[in-house]
Amino acid sequence: MSIESTNPATGDVVDSFEATSDEEREARLERATETFSEWSETPIETRQRLLARAADVLRENTDEYAELMTEEMGKPIGQARDEVAKCAWVCDYYAQNAAQHLQDEVIAGDENARTVVAYQPLGPVLAIMPWNFPFWQVFRFAAPNLAAGNVGLLKHASNVPGCARAIEDVFDRAGFPDGAFTSLLIDSSEIDAVIEDDRIRAVTITGSDAAGRAVAETAGSQLKKSVLELGGSDPFVVLEDAPMEETVETAVQARLINNGQSCIAAKRFVVVDDVYDEFVDRFIDEMAAQTVGDPMDDATDLGPQARPDLMDDLHEQVAETVEQGGELELGGEPMDRDGAYYPPTVITDVPENAPADREELFGPVASLFRVPDEAAAIEKANDTRFGLGASVWTEDLERGERVARQFESGLAFVNELVKSDPRLPFGGVKDSGYGRELAEHGITEFVNTKTIWVQQDAGEETDMIE
């Protein structure tokens, strides 16, 4: 079977690839298992050195990888270059810090015993990854897990097969052993069979909450560890003392980054009454000023949606919200041009329980809510089944931190858009999933946290500090 990738800006076929056959899938699983036996015993210094080399490969081929991402899923080319740089950063981070994160932890216990916590790799880990950040979301899984001594198998989204193959090639060029990181070009219907395979020891997914539930159910039935990074409907809370110029500028960026297709994009803008009208007027003007066009053009702010069917789903959510009483202030119709283009769109007076209130709108659509005060803003921010990120805007930083602590989210930012950073744990709560990626927390998700007790003779004094 052949898999085609299609340029969403033009509708042209970018490339075609042969799907992984059942026989080839079996061979790749077996090779990954054999490689794990070797890789898990490889000194961590060697693993770190190879990760640093992977970072070099990424930087040396930035334009190639950025253009591939833009061709396959439509992100603006400047953002694609930034994505490659961020992938190199996460490789550098674990190349520098993995050994420290995974060093044995000596813990005081019985006075006649030496008690240690060791962090040991689990084995082959399956990663099910989405199309919206086709390099970054793979590398934020791969870098810590390869550093920890696991091996990775990637089931990437079907519309970015070229990215899947290119990422596999990055690790090959960097000198990783064959089987350390393997791409499986398989259909979603084959995922359960891979998860259920005894050689797979854990699974992680970044995707919709529906997909996460299905993966978690299968993994749970096999008693296999899972990490779920799922959808979000992040609130962007604007208080009456917000620095308005900076707030509006960042609000537009937070909504439209990656053509609006980001789990941690600001989607629900919750604004207190005192500054609501000013914010709305400025926000609409800034959204309307964004340049929609060819994602290969550096001047473009907003490119196409990744697939025509995704644009159709988004428009259906917008139309239903308006039909229920939402006020369309800007945009709201697919653009009359080639490609899957949807314009910057703003909806006010969003009715309770309308799609723009309750669902994740995965595209350049902003939902605005007027609230009387801070307490109501927090209540509205938390009035969602999602809990990935949230931000609050205020001149009073102590107030901002107090509000941030009240958000029901895995990430909370004050006077900054929600973003991921290799140095900080990333993940959500509620229907946005569980588990953490990145930082020390991420590298210890898929390891055996093993307690080791070494009993000493009763008369022998144990140095618990050493």
Side-chain angles (χ1 to χ4, degrees), residues 11 29 47 64 84 107 118 135 169 187 202 266 269 273 296 319 326 361 373 377 381 390 397 410 413 416 418 460 462:
L29 275 165
R47 296 182 226 146
E64 174 190 342
V84 178
I107 296 179
F135 267 59
D169 188 57
D187 189 76
F269 294 81
D273 186 71
M296 285 294 188
L361 271 59
D373 53 28
L397 298 186
F413 284 65
E416 179 59 286
V418 178
E460 182 179 343
T462 303

Side-chain angles (χ1 to χ4, degrees), residues 55-96:
D56 292 338
V57 172
L58 286 161
R59 282 186 284 261
E60 291 163 4
N61 298 279
T62 294
D63 287 342
E64 174 190 342
Y65 298 141
E67 289 170 9
L68 176 59
M69 280 189 272
T70 297
E71 286 179 341
E72 286 201 319
M73 58 72 56
K75 73 169 68 248
I77 188 65
Q79 294 179 29
R81 294 190 195 102
D82 290 343
E83 184 166 335
V84 178
K86 195 167 185 177
C87 293
W89 181 19
V90 77
C91 289
D92 283 337
Y93 174 82
Y94 284 106
Q96 296 162 8

Side-chain angles (χ1 to χ4, degrees), residues 232-246:
S233 187
D234 287 9
F236 186 106
V237 173
V238 182
L239 301 179
E240 70 279 358
D241 61 345
M244 193 55 65
E245 184 173 349
E246 177 190 353

